[in-house]
Amino acid sequence: MADGNENGAAIAIGPRIVAAGGFDTLYREGMSLIEDVASYLDGEGRGDSRILSREASFIYATESMRLTTRLMQLASWLLLQRAVNEGEITKENAHAEKEKVKFSATPSERGGPGYDQLPPALRDFIDKGDRLFDRVMQFDVLERGRMSEMDPGTANGIADQLARLKAAFGRS
């Protein structure tokens, strides 16, 4: 039976992917990045920021605030998803809570005067934060079963993989 179970109902594969080991890796990487960024900003980053030009110092403050905000929002999402995976809260409760987490500090245009003067460590953390954000958004779309909202390249890649799985298991 195509795209369904014995009852003919569609099977949502996204939540199964999210509940599988892929989420555990994302969770560990996300929490590790949060700890690394906090350690940097509280330690080495303070020294790095003191030697910046006035222009770069302003950008440092802005970008470190954006990064911190984005990572806290991502941590909220990760903790909610982990609670669902561990059966601590229902998916419905998690969805309601996730709706309250607005990703206001999303990756945006980077650059401008002084951006290149930022410490390489901060720019690296910003890039890692942007990549984590993208991965969490992909998981969120999969978890909610809304592949139509996914970036077309990613959605097509997943659709291709699903087609291969169906072909391998003799389903059309």
Side-chain angles (χ1 to χ4, degrees), residues 88-107:
E88 296 172 6
I89 62 173
T90 66
K91 287 169 68 170
E92 292 75 24
N93 287 342
H95 288 301
E97 291 301 315
K98 285 178 185 176
E99 291 300 320
K100 296 176 187 175
V101 178
K102 299 297 181 199
F103 290 104
S104 58
T106 59

Side-chain angles (χ1 to χ4, degrees), residues 35-79:
E35 288 177 21
D36 292 347
V37 168
S39 177
Y40 170 77
L41 292 175
D42 284 341
E44 184 183 337
R46 289 180 189 247
D48 288 349
S49 68
R50 287 187 188 113
I51 60 173
L52 296 173
S53 69
R54 183 179 199 150
E55 192 172 68
S57 183
F58 175 75
I59 292 173
Y60 179 96
T62 301
E63 290 299 332
S64 63
M65 230 175 6
R66 279 184 181 169
L67 178 60
T68 302
T69 301
R70 184 178 327 114
L71 290 177
M72 290 302 99
Q73 292 165 338
L74 292 171
S76 295
W77 188 96
L78 290 167
L79 290 168

Side-chain angles (χ1 to χ4, degrees), residues 9-169:
I11 297 173
I13 194 166
R16 293 171 194 241
I17 293 170
V18 172
F23 174 76
D24 294 337
T25 301
L26 179 64
Y27 179 84
R28 282 191 306 274
E29 289 175 9
M31 291 305 181
S32 176
L33 179 61
I34 291 165
E35 288 177 21
D36 292 347
V37 168
S39 177
Y40 170 77
L41 292 175
D42 284 341
E44 184 183 337
R46 289 180 189 247
D48 288 349
S49 68
R50 287 187 188 113
I51 60 173
L52 296 173
S53 69
R54 183 179 199 150
E55 192 172 68
S57 183
F58 175 75
I59 292 173
Y60 179 96
T62 301
E63 290 299 332
S64 63
M65 230 175 6
R66 279 184 181 169
L67 178 60
T68 302
T69 301
R70 184 178 327 114
L71 290 177
M72 290 302 99
Q73 292 165 338
L74 292 171
S76 295
W77 188 96
L78 290 167
L79 290 168
L80 283 167
Q81 188 60 48
R82 185 181 76 170
V84 169
N85 291 354
E86 293 181 358
E88 296 172 6
I89 62 173
T90 66
K91 287 169 68 170
E92 292 75 24
N93 287 342
H95 288 301
E97 291 301 315
K98 285 178 185 176
E99 291 300 320
K100 296 176 187 175
V101 178
K102 299 297 181 199
F103 290 104
S104 58
T106 59
S108 59
E109 292 181 23
R110 302 277 185 228
Y115 189 85
D116 291 339
Q117 296 173 35
L118 290 177
L122 180 62
R123 287 184 299 188
D124 184 51
F125 283 131
I126 291 168
D127 291 342
K128 287 178 181 178
D130 289 351
R131 286 192 301 274
L132 177 65
F133 176 84
D134 290 341
R135 289 173 61 204
V136 165
M137 291 299 90
Q138 289 173 7
F139 263 78
D140 189 59
V141 168
L142 283 172
E143 193 271 334
R144 293 172 187 249
R146 301 184 318 203
M147 279 186 50
S148 63
E149 294 179 19
M150 191 175 285
D151 170 61
T154 303
N156 289 339
I158 292 172
D160 290 344
Q161 291 296 321
L162 290 174
R164 289 181 189 155
L165 286 170
K166 288 177 188 176
F169 291 102

